[in-house]
Amino acid sequence: MTPGRAARTILRAGAVALPVLAVTHAAPAVSAFGSLRNRLMPRLAGQGRLDHVALTFDDGPDHLSTPHFLRLLDTRELRATFFLLGSMAVRSPGLVREMSAAGHEIALHGWAHRPLLWRGPRATYDDLARARDTVAGLTSTPPRFFRPPYGVMTTGAHLACRRLGLTPVLWTAWGEDWRKRATPRIVHDTVVADLRGGGTILLHDSDCTSTTGSWRNTLGALPRLLDTCRESGWAVGPLRDHGRHVPEGCGL
């Protein structure tokens, strides 16, 4: 085979291989579709025992907003799971220690709030490892759970989680509390529309990636949301107390 023909063969092979690699990388992103995830991927969606609801917060810790959530939860004698950004944790190390000491579960949201779809496997691993090591250094406990920014997983993210001993968890109901149009009532009603026993709630204790001041709507919605859960007979707590409920025939 001549050098020119060999080069053309390699280019044609690459043209075929690149789309295949791209599809392989992005395939897990289908889990971002809530209805599909809740039905076919109960473990990834965070479905637990039917008498319990997991309360989770993303994007903190924020020294301006997170303490308000901690005080409210303390008055209710409740604990939650906080998915921290490593880049935020290093700004408020004392707050991270306070959250852990109060009994809240500290989990990972990565180092930077950037879509994993645009990162390769190595960059993804480095991001998660940096965040994990930072959080473990502050709390003396390696985090167990990971939630990707925007809820979009990739093959590289799954592989990184496996290497780092992390379990990916998304959510079954969220408040869309980052939106400009959000109000405490809208946040509450949006969560409740999809919430069932065994569900995992996603809210935000920081506005670092949301509309400025949006955390106030979340905080305003939280008391009524907790009351709704109690009236429905659901205990509220962190993911570590959530258990695992996998319907028959679902192995994901």
Side-chain angles (χ1 to χ4, degrees), residues 58-123:
D58 284 7
D59 290 1
D62 190 319
H63 70 281
L64 295 176
S65 54
T66 302
H68 294 281
F69 290 87
L70 299 181
R71 284 193 290 271
L72 192 157
L73 291 171
D74 188 57
T75 62
R76 295 285 188 124
E77 298 184 340
L78 295 175
R79 299 297 177 261
T81 299
F82 288 84
F83 286 87
L84 306 189
L85 289 168
S87 57
M88 295 291 285
V90 294
R91 298 179 186 179
S92 302
L95 181 55
V96 176
R97 297 188 186 99
E98 177 186 341
M99 296 163 72
S100 179
H104 296 289
E105 183 173 41
I106 307 302
L108 293 187
H109 201 32
W111 181 266
H113 201 279
R114 298 172 185 165
L116 296 181
L117 274 177
W118 315 131
R119 296 185 181 190
R122 182 66 196 185

Side-chain angles (χ1 to χ4, degrees), residues 37-50 197-198 242-252:
R37 177 178 68 246
N38 294 346
R39 185 171 69 255
L40 301 179
M41 309 172 189
R43 290 182 181 176
L44 183 60
Q47 292 185 12
R49 68 177 204 263
L50 298 181
H242 199 39
R244 286 296 190 219
H245 172 69
V246 182
E248 185 177 353
C250 292
L252 295 175

Side-chain angles (χ1 to χ4, degrees), residues 35-229:
S35 58
L36 178 66
R37 177 178 68 246
N38 294 346
R39 185 171 69 255
L40 301 179
M41 309 172 189
R43 290 182 181 176
L44 183 60
Q47 292 185 12
R49 68 177 204 263
L50 298 181
D51 64 344
H52 189 268
V53 165
L55 179 62
T56 73
F57 296 90
D58 284 7
D59 290 1
D62 190 319
H63 70 281
L64 295 176
S65 54
T66 302
H68 294 281
F69 290 87
L70 299 181
R71 284 193 290 271
L72 192 157
L73 291 171
D74 188 57
T75 62
R76 295 285 188 124
E77 298 184 340
L78 295 175
R79 299 297 177 261
T81 299
F82 288 84
F83 286 87
L84 306 189
L85 289 168
S87 57
M88 295 291 285
V90 294
R91 298 179 186 179
S92 302
L95 181 55
V96 176
R97 297 188 186 99
E98 177 186 341
M99 296 163 72
S100 179
H104 296 289
E105 183 173 41
I106 307 302
L108 293 187
H109 201 32
W111 181 266
H113 201 279
R114 298 172 185 165
L116 296 181
L117 274 177
W118 315 131
R119 296 185 181 190
R122 182 66 196 185
T124 297
Y125 175 84
D126 289 346
D127 181 276
L128 269 63
R130 184 182 184 189
R132 181 204 61 176
D133 292 347
T134 297
V135 168
L138 292 173
T139 65
S140 300
T141 303
R144 176 182 174 188
F145 297 109
F146 166 69
R147 176 176 289 154
Y150 306 104
V152 178
M153 289 293 291
T154 63
T155 297
H158 279 290
L159 293 174
C161 284
R162 185 173 300 177
R163 290 178 62 187
L164 295 168
L166 297 168
T167 299
V169 178
L170 300 184
W171 60 88
T172 66
W174 61 357
E176 298 187 5
D177 49 348
W178 68 89
R179 296 180 182 272
K180 188 175 182 178
R181 68 175 182 83
T183 66
R185 180 172 182 174
I186 288 175
V187 172
H188 169 274
D189 292 350
T190 302
V191 171
V192 171
D194 292 322
L195 188 60
R196 306 290 184 271
T200 291
I201 299 172
L202 163 60
L203 297 170
H204 295 80
D205 62 306
S206 169
D207 61 6
C208 70
T209 65
S210 308
T211 301
T212 301
S214 58
W215 64 267
R216 298 182 184 278
N217 293 315
T218 308
L219 186 68
L222 193 53
R224 185 181 174 196
L225 182 57
L226 295 175
D227 289 343
T228 297
C229 290

